[in-house]
């Protein structure tokens, strides 16, 4: 599951996460290769991962794992929610439909007993295209041109930005990257 998550892991990270020796990790990686799992090693990043777009069969969920996943997706995945939460809500429904009847019944009985109240967040509906553009720019390591109404500089800034990461903090989204106008890493 870790290798299928899309994030790469080195053998030390895998051994720490799985609480086994690195030697065991090397044996397990070899077994995956021998079983035909499309495992790739990125020498530059020194990371192992499963080839993207390959879906392995789903794993079994414990009751608390399924409940946590479904509750978070239901409670946070509305129309005006954070990006990816509406698709997560749809995915949670698909997962729920594939669960055994006893676990599905348990989730139905208990999920109504729990409520999650996230902090209010800034409206994102009109900004989804910007968000997607920034995600794509981060993923493809390309620059974007942004226009930013700077509170601290009290002016509108136009800068070329090399975005590194998106951050959700204090009810809103921020992009962190290198700004050409500042010639430094900044948060917008």
């Amino acid at each position: 599951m870790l290798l299928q998550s899309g994030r790469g892991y080195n053998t030390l990270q895998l051994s720490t996460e799985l609480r086994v020796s690195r030697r065991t990790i090397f044996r397990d990686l070899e077994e995956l290769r021998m079983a035909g799992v499309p495992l790739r090693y990125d020498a530059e990043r020194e990371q192992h991962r499963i080839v993207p777009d390959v879906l392995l069969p789903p794993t079994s969920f414990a009751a608390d794992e399924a409940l946590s996943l479904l509750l978070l997706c239901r409670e946070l995945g509305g129309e005006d929610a954070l990006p990816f939460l509406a698709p997560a809500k749809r995915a949670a429904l698909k997962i729920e439909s594939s669960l055994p009847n006893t676990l599905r019944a348990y989730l139905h009985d208990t999920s109504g007993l729990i409520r999650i109240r996230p902090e209010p967040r800034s409206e994102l509906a009109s900004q989804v295209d910007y968000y997607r553009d920034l995600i794509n720019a981060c993923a493809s390591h390309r620059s974007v041109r942004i226009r930013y109404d700077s509170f601290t500089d009290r002016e509108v800034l136009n800068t070329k930005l090399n975005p590194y990461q998106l951050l959700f903090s204090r009810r809103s989204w921020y992009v962190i990257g290198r700004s050409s106008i500042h010639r430094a890493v900044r948060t917008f």
Side-chain angles (χ1 to χ4, degrees):
M1 288 186 320
L2 291 173
L3 296 174
Q4 190 176 356
S5 71
R7 176 181 169 220
Y9 287 86
N10 64 35
T11 54
L12 179 60
Q13 291 168 323
L14 286 169
S15 67
T16 301
E17 186 75 27
L18 300 173
R19 296 184 181 125
V20 297
S21 70
R22 286 184 69 207
R23 185 179 185 104
T24 298
I25 295 298
F26 285 116
R27 278 195 303 266
D28 291 346
L29 289 171
E30 185 57 32
E31 282 200 38
L32 287 171
R33 280 188 197 91
M34 304 243 331
V37 174
L39 190 62
R40 296 291 183 260
Y41 178 71
D42 182 340
E44 184 179 313
R45 294 182 179 169
E46 298 180 348
Q47 294 178 335
H48 300 272
R49 66 175 39 94
I50 292 177
V51 175
D53 301 328
V54 172
L55 294 176
L56 298 179
T59 58
S60 299
F61 287 102
D64 64 335
E65 293 169 335
L67 181 63
S68 298
L69 176 64
L70 296 175
L71 275 174
L72 288 172
C73 290
R74 281 183 189 156
E75 294 289 321
L76 301 176
E79 291 302 314
D80 63 342
L82 305 175
F84 299 119
L85 286 177
K89 184 177 181 180
R90 292 190 306 269
L93 291 173
K94 290 176 185 177
I95 291 169
E96 183 178 9
S97 69
S98 68
L99 294 173
N101 289 337
T102 54
L103 184 52
R104 203 172 329 140
Y106 169 77
L107 294 174
H108 178 72
D109 293 342
T110 56
S111 64
L113 305 173
I114 301 168
R115 287 286 166 246
I116 299 170
R117 286 194 174 162
E119 290 184 37
R121 50 193 179 261
S122 54
E123 181 63 37
L124 188 67
S126 64
Q127 307 301 318
V128 171
D129 290 338
Y130 298 118
Y131 179 85
R132 287 188 186 128
D133 289 345
L134 287 169
I135 283 285
N136 291 333
C138 287
S140 62
H141 306 287
R142 66 179 169 79
S143 301
V144 293
R145 214 162 258 292
I146 65 168
R147 188 173 158 265
Y148 182 75
D149 191 1
S150 175
F151 178 74
T152 55
D153 295 335
R154 299 181 194 271
E155 64 180 311
V156 175
L157 302 176
N158 290 298
T159 185
K160 182 177 170 185
L161 180 70
N162 294 321
Y164 300 143
Q165 187 176 46
L166 293 177
L167 167 70
F168 183 81
S169 177
R170 297 188 203 113
R171 303 180 301 265
S172 193
W173 281 98
Y174 299 87
V175 60
I176 301 167
R178 182 165 179 79
S179 164
S180 64
I181 201 169
H182 298 99
R183 294 192 173 152
V185 174
R186 295 292 173 133
T187 301
F188 298 96

